[in-house]
Short mmCIF file of all heavy atoms in Angstrom, two decimals:
data_model
loop_
_atom_site.label_atom_id
_atom_site.label_comp_id
_atom_site.label_asym_id
_atom_site.label_seq_id
_atom_site.Cartn_x
_atom_site.Cartn_y
_atom_site.Cartn_z
N VAL A 814 -17.32 10.52 -7.25
CA VAL A 814 -17.53 10.80 -8.67
C VAL A 814 -18.92 11.35 -8.87
O VAL A 814 -19.18 12.37 -9.38
CB VAL A 814 -17.01 9.70 -9.73
CG1 VAL A 814 -17.42 10.11 -11.09
CG2 VAL A 814 -15.52 9.49 -9.66
N VAL A 815 -19.83 10.41 -8.44
CA VAL A 815 -21.33 10.75 -8.64
C VAL A 815 -21.64 11.88 -7.86
O VAL A 815 -22.44 12.78 -8.45
CB VAL A 815 -22.19 9.50 -8.46
CG1 VAL A 815 -23.59 9.93 -8.57
CG2 VAL A 815 -21.81 8.43 -9.30
N ALA A 816 -21.25 12.06 -6.70
CA ALA A 816 -21.55 13.12 -5.85
C ALA A 816 -21.06 14.48 -6.46
O ALA A 816 -21.55 15.62 -6.32
CB ALA A 816 -21.08 12.95 -4.39
N ILE A 817 -19.83 14.41 -6.98
CA ILE A 817 -19.29 15.60 -7.63
C ILE A 817 -20.18 16.14 -8.81
O ILE A 817 -20.56 17.25 -9.02
CB ILE A 817 -17.81 15.29 -8.22
CG1 ILE A 817 -16.81 15.20 -7.07
CG2 ILE A 817 -17.36 16.46 -9.30
CD1 ILE A 817 -15.53 14.71 -7.53
N LEU A 818 -20.61 15.08 -9.65
CA LEU A 818 -21.43 15.44 -10.71
C LEU A 818 -22.92 16.08 -10.16
O LEU A 818 -23.41 16.99 -10.69
CB LEU A 818 -21.77 14.30 -11.60
CG LEU A 818 -20.51 13.53 -12.22
CD1 LEU A 818 -21.03 12.35 -13.01
CD2 LEU A 818 -19.91 14.60 -13.30
N GLY A 819 -23.37 15.46 -9.16
CA GLY A 819 -24.53 16.00 -8.52
C GLY A 819 -24.46 17.33 -7.93
O GLY A 819 -25.28 18.16 -8.21
N SER A 820 -23.30 17.56 -7.25
CA SER A 820 -23.18 18.92 -6.60
C SER A 820 -23.07 19.94 -7.76
O SER A 820 -23.63 21.10 -7.66
CB SER A 820 -21.83 18.86 -5.84
OG SER A 820 -21.58 20.09 -5.32
N LEU A 821 -22.16 19.75 -8.87
CA LEU A 821 -22.01 20.61 -9.88
C LEU A 821 -23.36 20.87 -10.53
O LEU A 821 -23.73 22.07 -11.00
CB LEU A 821 -20.83 20.19 -10.80
CG LEU A 821 -19.43 20.15 -10.30
CD1 LEU A 821 -18.52 19.57 -11.34
CD2 LEU A 821 -19.10 21.46 -9.83
N ALA A 822 -24.09 19.87 -10.80
CA ALA A 822 -25.35 19.96 -11.59
C ALA A 822 -26.37 20.72 -10.86
O ALA A 822 -27.02 21.74 -11.27
CB ALA A 822 -25.95 18.70 -11.89
N THR A 823 -26.56 20.46 -9.55
CA THR A 823 -27.56 21.06 -8.68
C THR A 823 -27.21 22.59 -8.46
O THR A 823 -28.06 23.44 -8.43
CB THR A 823 -27.87 20.43 -7.38
OG1 THR A 823 -26.49 20.26 -6.66
CG2 THR A 823 -28.42 19.08 -7.55
N SER A 824 -25.83 22.96 -8.26
CA SER A 824 -25.44 24.35 -8.18
C SER A 824 -25.60 25.07 -9.36
O SER A 824 -26.02 26.30 -9.35
CB SER A 824 -24.06 24.31 -7.67
OG SER A 824 -23.09 23.77 -8.69
N LEU A 825 -25.32 24.50 -10.59
CA LEU A 825 -25.57 25.23 -11.83
C LEU A 825 -27.04 25.55 -12.08
O LEU A 825 -27.31 26.69 -12.38
CB LEU A 825 -25.01 24.28 -12.92
CG LEU A 825 -25.15 24.93 -14.39
CD1 LEU A 825 -24.38 26.29 -14.46
CD2 LEU A 825 -24.56 23.91 -15.38
N VAL A 826 -27.84 24.62 -11.72
CA VAL A 826 -29.22 24.86 -11.84
C VAL A 826 -29.83 25.99 -10.85
O VAL A 826 -30.46 26.87 -11.26
CB VAL A 826 -30.18 23.65 -11.58
CG1 VAL A 826 -31.67 23.95 -11.59
CG2 VAL A 826 -29.86 22.49 -12.63
N ALA A 827 -29.18 25.93 -9.65
CA ALA A 827 -29.49 26.92 -8.68
C ALA A 827 -29.23 28.34 -9.18
O ALA A 827 -30.05 29.30 -8.86
CB ALA A 827 -28.90 26.63 -7.25
N ILE A 828 -28.02 28.63 -9.66
CA ILE A 828 -27.57 29.91 -9.91
C ILE A 828 -28.10 30.35 -11.31
O ILE A 828 -27.81 31.51 -11.81
CB ILE A 828 -26.02 30.09 -9.87
CG1 ILE A 828 -25.46 29.21 -10.96
CG2 ILE A 828 -25.55 29.66 -8.54
CD1 ILE A 828 -23.85 29.40 -10.91
N THR A 829 -28.82 29.47 -11.94
CA THR A 829 -29.47 29.90 -13.27
C THR A 829 -30.91 29.91 -13.28
O THR A 829 -31.53 30.97 -13.54
CB THR A 829 -28.91 29.03 -14.48
OG1 THR A 829 -29.07 27.69 -14.09
CG2 THR A 829 -27.44 29.18 -14.72
N PHE A 830 -31.57 28.69 -12.99
CA PHE A 830 -32.85 28.78 -12.98
C PHE A 830 -33.59 29.70 -11.80
O PHE A 830 -34.50 30.38 -12.12
CB PHE A 830 -33.44 27.28 -12.56
CG PHE A 830 -33.47 26.35 -13.82
CD1 PHE A 830 -32.34 26.14 -14.63
CD2 PHE A 830 -34.65 25.74 -14.26
CE1 PHE A 830 -32.36 25.33 -15.72
CE2 PHE A 830 -34.61 24.91 -15.40
CZ PHE A 830 -33.57 24.76 -16.14
N LEU A 831 -33.02 29.67 -10.56
CA LEU A 831 -33.78 30.41 -9.58
C LEU A 831 -33.59 31.95 -9.82
O LEU A 831 -34.59 32.67 -9.68
CB LEU A 831 -33.03 30.00 -8.24
CG LEU A 831 -33.47 28.73 -7.66
CD1 LEU A 831 -32.93 28.48 -6.32
CD2 LEU A 831 -34.94 28.43 -7.61
N PRO A 832 -32.49 32.42 -10.21
CA PRO A 832 -32.41 33.79 -10.50
C PRO A 832 -33.33 34.33 -11.71
O PRO A 832 -34.11 35.31 -11.64
CB PRO A 832 -30.97 34.17 -10.96
CG PRO A 832 -30.25 33.16 -10.22
CD PRO A 832 -31.05 31.91 -10.15
N ALA A 833 -33.46 33.39 -12.61
CA ALA A 833 -34.46 33.63 -13.73
C ALA A 833 -35.94 33.63 -13.19
O ALA A 833 -36.79 34.44 -13.59
CB ALA A 833 -34.24 32.48 -14.85
N ILE A 834 -36.18 32.72 -12.43
CA ILE A 834 -37.58 32.63 -11.67
C ILE A 834 -37.87 33.84 -10.87
O ILE A 834 -38.95 34.46 -10.90
CB ILE A 834 -37.79 31.46 -10.89
CG1 ILE A 834 -37.77 30.18 -11.88
CG2 ILE A 834 -39.07 31.34 -10.18
CD1 ILE A 834 -37.76 28.85 -11.12
N PHE A 835 -36.85 34.27 -10.05
CA PHE A 835 -36.96 35.49 -9.23
C PHE A 835 -37.17 36.66 -10.11
O PHE A 835 -37.97 37.59 -9.75
CB PHE A 835 -35.75 35.60 -8.32
CG PHE A 835 -35.67 34.48 -7.37
CD1 PHE A 835 -34.40 34.09 -6.92
CD2 PHE A 835 -36.71 33.85 -6.79
CE1 PHE A 835 -34.27 33.07 -5.99
CE2 PHE A 835 -36.59 32.95 -5.93
CZ PHE A 835 -35.35 32.50 -5.45
N ALA A 836 -36.41 36.87 -11.19
CA ALA A 836 -36.54 37.89 -12.14
C ALA A 836 -38.07 38.09 -12.58
O ALA A 836 -38.66 39.14 -12.68
CB ALA A 836 -35.53 37.90 -13.37
N LEU A 837 -38.57 36.93 -13.06
CA LEU A 837 -40.07 36.86 -13.48
C LEU A 837 -40.90 37.30 -12.31
O LEU A 837 -41.99 37.92 -12.65
CB LEU A 837 -40.40 35.50 -13.97
CG LEU A 837 -39.66 35.12 -15.34
CD1 LEU A 837 -40.14 33.69 -15.76
CD2 LEU A 837 -39.86 36.07 -16.48
N LYS A 838 -40.57 36.99 -11.27
CA LYS A 838 -41.46 37.38 -10.03
C LYS A 838 -41.49 38.88 -9.76
O LYS A 838 -42.42 39.41 -9.59
CB LYS A 838 -41.05 36.54 -8.81
CG LYS A 838 -41.47 35.05 -8.79
CD LYS A 838 -40.78 34.28 -7.55
CE LYS A 838 -41.36 34.70 -6.29
NZ LYS A 838 -42.74 34.03 -6.11
N CYS A 839 -40.18 39.38 -9.94
CA CYS A 839 -40.09 40.78 -9.72
C CYS A 839 -40.82 41.60 -10.96
O CYS A 839 -41.44 42.59 -10.70
CB CYS A 839 -38.63 41.13 -9.87
SG CYS A 839 -37.66 40.73 -8.35
N ARG A 840 -40.77 40.97 -12.14
CA ARG A 840 -41.45 41.69 -13.20
C ARG A 840 -43.00 41.71 -13.04
O ARG A 840 -43.66 42.58 -13.22
CB ARG A 840 -41.20 40.96 -14.55
CG ARG A 840 -39.72 41.18 -15.09
CD ARG A 840 -39.43 40.64 -16.33
NE ARG A 840 -38.07 40.69 -16.71
CZ ARG A 840 -37.55 40.23 -17.91
NH1 ARG A 840 -38.50 39.62 -18.74
NH2 ARG A 840 -36.28 40.44 -18.25
N ARG A 841 -43.43 40.50 -12.55
CA ARG A 841 -44.88 40.37 -12.34
C ARG A 841 -45.29 41.31 -11.20
O ARG A 841 -46.34 41.98 -11.22
CB ARG A 841 -45.16 38.90 -11.94
CG ARG A 841 -46.72 38.71 -11.77
CD ARG A 841 -47.14 37.15 -11.72
NE ARG A 841 -46.56 36.62 -10.61
CZ ARG A 841 -45.57 35.74 -10.61
NH1 ARG A 841 -45.00 35.37 -11.87
NH2 ARG A 841 -45.14 35.12 -9.56
N ARG A 842 -44.44 41.44 -10.14
CA ARG A 842 -44.70 42.42 -9.03
C ARG A 842 -44.88 43.82 -9.58
O ARG A 842 -45.64 44.61 -9.07
CB ARG A 842 -43.64 42.12 -8.09
CG ARG A 842 -43.86 43.02 -6.75
CD ARG A 842 -42.59 43.12 -5.90
NE ARG A 842 -41.55 43.79 -6.75
CZ ARG A 842 -40.20 43.93 -6.42
NH1 ARG A 842 -39.88 43.20 -5.30
NH2 ARG A 842 -39.39 44.49 -7.11
N ASP A 843 -43.86 44.13 -10.44
CA ASP A 843 -43.70 45.58 -10.84
C ASP A 843 -44.55 45.86 -12.17
O ASP A 843 -44.63 47.04 -12.54
CB ASP A 843 -42.29 45.98 -11.09
CG ASP A 843 -41.45 45.84 -9.86
OD1 ASP A 843 -42.16 45.91 -8.56
OD2 ASP A 843 -40.22 45.71 -9.83
N GLY A 844 -45.13 44.87 -12.79
CA GLY A 844 -45.90 44.96 -13.94
C GLY A 844 -44.84 45.44 -15.04
O GLY A 844 -45.20 46.16 -15.97
N SER A 845 -43.60 44.93 -15.04
CA SER A 845 -42.62 45.39 -16.12
C SER A 845 -42.15 44.14 -16.83
O SER A 845 -42.06 43.10 -16.24
CB SER A 845 -41.47 46.09 -15.50
OG SER A 845 -40.51 46.27 -16.28
N SER A 846 -41.71 44.30 -17.93
CA SER A 846 -41.28 43.22 -18.86
C SER A 846 -39.82 43.57 -19.33
O SER A 846 -39.25 42.89 -20.31
CB SER A 846 -42.13 42.86 -20.03
OG SER A 846 -42.24 43.94 -20.90
#
Side-chain angles (χ1 to χ4, degrees):
V814 172
V815 176
I817 287 172
L818 296 177
S820 179
L821 293 177
T823 52
S824 63
L825 181 58
V826 174
I828 63 174
T829 54
F830 276 59
L831 289 183
I834 294 172
F835 295 147
L837 293 179
K838 289 170 72 72
C839 288
R840 291 181 184 183
R841 186 170 61 251
R842 180 198 66 190
D843 299 337
S845 171
S846 60

